Amino acid sequence: ALLIIRVPFPLPCLAHSKCQQKNQLHPETGASSEQPPKKTKMSATGAQLGVCLIGLGRSGQFHLTSIKSLPAATKLLWVVDIDEVRAQSVAEEMGCKASSKPDDALADPAVNVVIIASTTDTHFPFIMASLEASKCVFAEKPISHAVSEVQQAVNLAQARNLPLVCGYQRRCDNNFRALKKHVDNGAVGTLKVIKSCSRDNPVPPLEYLRTSGGIFQDMLIHDFDMQDWLTGGQVPESITSVGHCYNPEVEKMGDLDTVAILAKYPSGLITMTDTCRDAAYGYDQRVEVFGSNGMANARNELTSCVELATAEGHMMPPAQWSFPERYKHAYKVELEEFIELVQAGVNSPAHCAEQAAMLRHPRLVKTALAAELSWRLGRQVDLVEDLDLLAKGVMPDHH
């Protein structure tokens, strides 16, 4: 999701300096408010885009549903999955081609867009191959767990002048967008404290957790992205993390299921984040922003807004069960806006805004790494430290 990120100073598109027209962006879609986007080789404005979907698991099904809802804008040409039977079944349903490897799809000139929803450890090679094939890329997070690899992907996308959008779907949620609007309008004044609460439900499948990269890179990175977004790109100077694992199966993986994080910023801002892999009462996501003029709070979304009051007391509806229900609309919006970005073309302000926005990806992974190192080392970690060197001693698999 993109296009509502506001950078604190003009960042020109590396390929098109005239894209500095940030003030002409539509607040929701990112389209120019003065004239329609120019047609480019990347896509004719409004044209139906050929899509390749890589990965047909949990995330892939969300994107498949979104593709089905956008028949005028997208045409699914390829599905790729390591499970050939699953890929062929979806291909027959959708009237497209199937493969267990992306090579043929990336060589197909009719494919404009690649959506990567495969297992976490395959994101980086698939992203790089897609960009090398001059395809526009939407990828589920993370791009990689290694800062150097994330930087390589961003560098390649900018060198090729191609969109590389990472799926942080909270940016497309109506509640968080309303919160962001209040912050940007100065309603809460100078930011002093941001509190984030993220509690998953139910515990994700163990086979997913084994390749997820751990709670810091898989779950908490969403909170780091929200804090980056709400602050206009502020970067913490130090991070302290504490955690515990209540689930013995997760503990065997060397991972945690419950974490609390405190981060300090050069501006004086303090962020506090608590997260857990499960919550008995349902899915729970809240953000509070406190500043010199007041406070804005995005409360957890429940199954309805109806409160029943009787002689026995007040009864509230339950929370949403899990993230597919909570972010059903956001998953659709993020793909819609990605398609609009591609259709707008490389000369559009929307494209320039995303070229600037993608610069955040290496720092998000670096923040997540610093948070994990703080827990593993049992101390505060400063972002100026050599994190790779620190990781070698306590994270043997880090690269």
Side-chain angles (χ1 to χ4, degrees), residues 206 245-254 257:
L206 294 178
C245 194
Y246 293 89
N247 187 317
E249 294 301 317
V250 175
E251 188 175 21
K252 290 177 184 177
M253 303 175 195
D257 58 22

Side-chain angles (χ1 to χ4, degrees), residues 364-378:
L364 292 179
V365 175
K366 184 177 181 180
T367 300
L369 175 59
E372 181 171 356
L373 285 170
S374 174
W375 162 61
R376 292 188 180 277
L377 295 170

Side-chain angles (χ1 to χ4, degrees), residues 218-272:
D218 177 57
M219 192 172 176
L220 278 155
I221 200 166
H222 277 289
D223 297 284
F224 299 144
D225 182 66
M226 280 292 293
Q227 291 156 7
D228 187 279
W229 182 46
L230 291 170
T231 64
Q234 289 192 46
V235 181
E237 61 184 8
S238 65
I239 290 184
T240 303
S241 305
V242 293
H244 186 76
C245 194
Y246 293 89
N247 187 317
E249 294 301 317
V250 175
E251 188 175 21
K252 290 177 184 177
M253 303 175 195
D255 199 5
L256 301 171
D257 58 22
T258 308
V259 178
I261 295 176
L262 182 69
K264 179 71 164 55
Y265 291 69
S267 67
L269 172 69
I270 297 170
T271 61
M272 293 177 277

